[in-house]
Amino acid sequence: MLPHHLWLPLVAFGVAVATTWLAIRYAIKRQLVDMPGERRSHKVSTPRGGGIGIVVSVLLACFAVALLYPAAAVPAGVFAIGLMMVAGIGWWDDHRSLPALPRLLVHLLAAILLGLLVWMGSGSVIKALFCTLLAVSLINIWNFMDGINGLAVTQAILVAIGAAFLLPFPYALAGLVTAAACLGFLPFNFPRARVFMGDVGSGALGYVMAGLLSLGMSVTEVAIPVWLMLPAAFFIDAGFTLLTRIFNGERWMQPHTQHLYQRFVKREWSHSLVTGGYSLFTLCGITLAALFSRLSQGWEWAGGVIWVAATAVAWFFLRRQFFIKDES
């Protein structure tokens, strides 16, 4: 079993590097470039669509898993179909902007596939429904939060590593492969962005994150709130920003710069500093999640809920103390 640990993540890393490099050249040739603007956090024109490297790596890993573990062929295949749906509609949107409804319908169909896998794996309809909603949420959350250099991909790396730690072998390979694929993309996006993920990458990465968390909820007895501790920073920043915009009667589906990480950048904090701060916070969450996962179910639930609640309190405090005057 040890060789699988060694070569599968390494191959995922190498494929991500090569595919991202090719994606940059394709984007330049096709003029798939994001230009600076009032609602953007970058100051130079940058190619987009490099996240296809992560997608290709994960898809190849699904194929490899189907060969290595025949019993997992059907779940790996179904997940791959869902991932291709999300990545495909994102690729289309990168080339030609689409209305929100078609994208949401595709996201929902892919999420339903993931929910069906959870139902098959756990036998719980409640978990299946929860993971369906989780997938739709994370697809869009990763898209919303992919706005500065390295933020979305570093958070994905950390969530994947956290999931690998909480999952038993061989399921932990899913987290290791995902982290390796993201590491292959990272040098192209951080600290200086030579390419952006694009919708093809950010939405697909959110689906992969949902897949990892859903896998954990299906094959372990670790409480749901402990799994939600891993992406808590993104959940809270994206979720509460969205709710605030809805409550204020704003056009919440339009691009904006009201996420907390965007407010930090508007205050002249560097992308590296903001990305590092989010990473440090998520590392704390992963460490606590690892500790809580060794306790009884009651403590797991209590610890997970308290951490997510503490994240929400921190978000409200920072928003009120430092950024309320910048609201537009």
Side-chain angles (χ1 to χ4, degrees), residues 7 31 33 41 44 77 89 107 142 156 161 164 171 182 219 246-247 258 261 264 272 305:
W7 70 262
Q31 291 297 302
V33 178
S41 299
V44 296
I89 198 69
H107 295 168
W142 243 264
I161 291 173
Y171 302 108
C182 291
V219 303
I246 293 173
F247 180 78
Q258 294 186 20
Y261 78 89
F264 280 119
S272 296
V305 169

Side-chain angles (χ1 to χ4, degrees), residues 142 144-158 186 189-190 197 205 233-234 237 259-262 271 274-279 282:
W142 243 264
F144 296 156
M145 300 295 288
D146 181 30
I148 63 173
N149 299 351
L151 181 60
V153 69
T154 54
Q155 286 295 297
I157 291 170
L158 292 172
L186 181 62
N189 187 245
F190 183 83
M197 278 191 195
L205 194 51
F234 268 24
D237 195 355
H259 291 295
L260 195 58
Y261 78 89
Q262 293 169 319
H271 288 205
V274 176
T275 295
Y278 272 74
S279 297
T282 297

Side-chain angles (χ1 to χ4, degrees), residues 238-321:
F240 277 91
T241 299
L242 177 62
L243 290 175
T244 300
R245 287 173 58 79
I246 293 173
F247 180 78
N248 290 337
E250 301 176 40
R251 294 185 175 182
W252 54 272
M253 295 186 69
Q254 289 189 343
H256 61 86
T257 57
Q258 294 186 20
H259 291 295
L260 195 58
Y261 78 89
Q262 293 169 319
R263 293 300 181 182
F264 280 119
V265 172
K266 289 184 71 173
R267 285 295 184 94
E268 303 300 328
W269 290 36
S270 71
H271 288 205
S272 296
L273 184 59
V274 176
T275 295
Y278 272 74
S279 297
L280 181 61
F281 183 88
T282 297
L283 277 172
C284 292
I286 291 172
T287 302
L288 290 174
L291 293 174
F292 292 144
S293 69
R294 300 178 182 274
L295 304 177
S296 65
Q297 278 273 320
W299 282 109
E300 286 181 354
W301 275 88
V305 169
I306 289 173
W307 179 254
V308 174
T311 305
V313 170
W315 183 88
F316 278 107
F317 174 80
L318 289 171
R319 186 180 180 90
R320 179 172 293 276
Q321 292 296 317

Side-chain angles (χ1 to χ4, degrees), residues 8-254:
L8 195 53
L10 287 175
V11 169
F13 174 83
V15 170
V17 170
T19 310
T20 303
W21 185 85
L22 291 172
I24 294 174
R25 275 125 194 92
Y26 172 84
I28 293 173
K29 182 177 180 180
R30 293 292 301 271
Q31 291 297 302
L32 298 177
V33 178
D34 280 343
M35 304 301 294
E38 181 182 350
R39 298 183 184 276
R40 298 185 183 274
S41 299
H42 63 282
K43 298 180 180 179
V44 296
S45 58
T46 307
R48 67 176 180 270
I52 188 70
I54 299 172
V55 175
V56 171
S57 292
V58 174
L59 288 175
L60 287 178
C62 289
F63 179 73
V65 166
L67 293 178
L68 291 171
Y69 305 99
V74 172
V78 172
F79 177 78
I81 291 172
L83 179 58
M84 285 189 289
M85 291 171 63
V86 176
I89 198 69
W91 179 259
W92 190 351
D93 198 33
D94 282 332
H95 286 73
R96 181 180 300 173
S97 184
L98 291 171
L101 184 57
R103 286 185 282 119
L104 183 59
L105 287 176
V106 172
H107 295 168
L108 181 58
L109 288 174
I112 289 172
L113 289 179
L114 186 59
L116 290 174
L117 287 178
V118 173
W119 188 19
M120 291 169 55
S122 67
S124 171
V125 176
I126 294 176
K127 281 187 177 181
L129 291 173
F130 178 80
C131 290
T132 299
L133 294 175
L134 179 69
V136 174
S137 299
L138 288 180
I139 290 169
N140 289 281
I141 284 173
W142 243 264
N143 184 271
F144 296 156
M145 300 295 288
D146 181 30
I148 63 173
N149 299 351
L151 181 60
V153 69
T154 54
Q155 286 295 297
I157 291 170
L158 292 172
V159 171
I161 291 173
F165 187 87
L166 295 176
L167 285 164
F169 185 83
Y171 302 108
L173 278 175
L176 295 176
V177 166
T178 300
C182 291
L183 280 169
F185 172 80
L186 181 62
F188 298 97
N189 187 245
F190 183 83
R192 181 178 69 87
R194 287 183 280 166
V195 68
F196 294 148
M197 278 191 195
D199 288 342
V200 64
S202 58
L205 194 51
Y207 188 75
V208 173
M209 295 297 101
L212 288 175
L213 300 182
S214 298
L215 178 62
M217 295 176 202
S218 299
V219 303
T220 74
E221 296 300 321
V222 176
I224 290 175
V226 174
W227 292 104
L228 297 183
M229 291 174 68
L230 305 183
F234 268 24
F235 255 127
I236 296 302
D237 195 355
F240 277 91
T241 299
L242 177 62
L243 290 175
T244 300
R245 287 173 58 79
I246 293 173
F247 180 78
N248 290 337
E250 301 176 40
R251 294 185 175 182
W252 54 272
M253 295 186 69
Q254 289 189 343

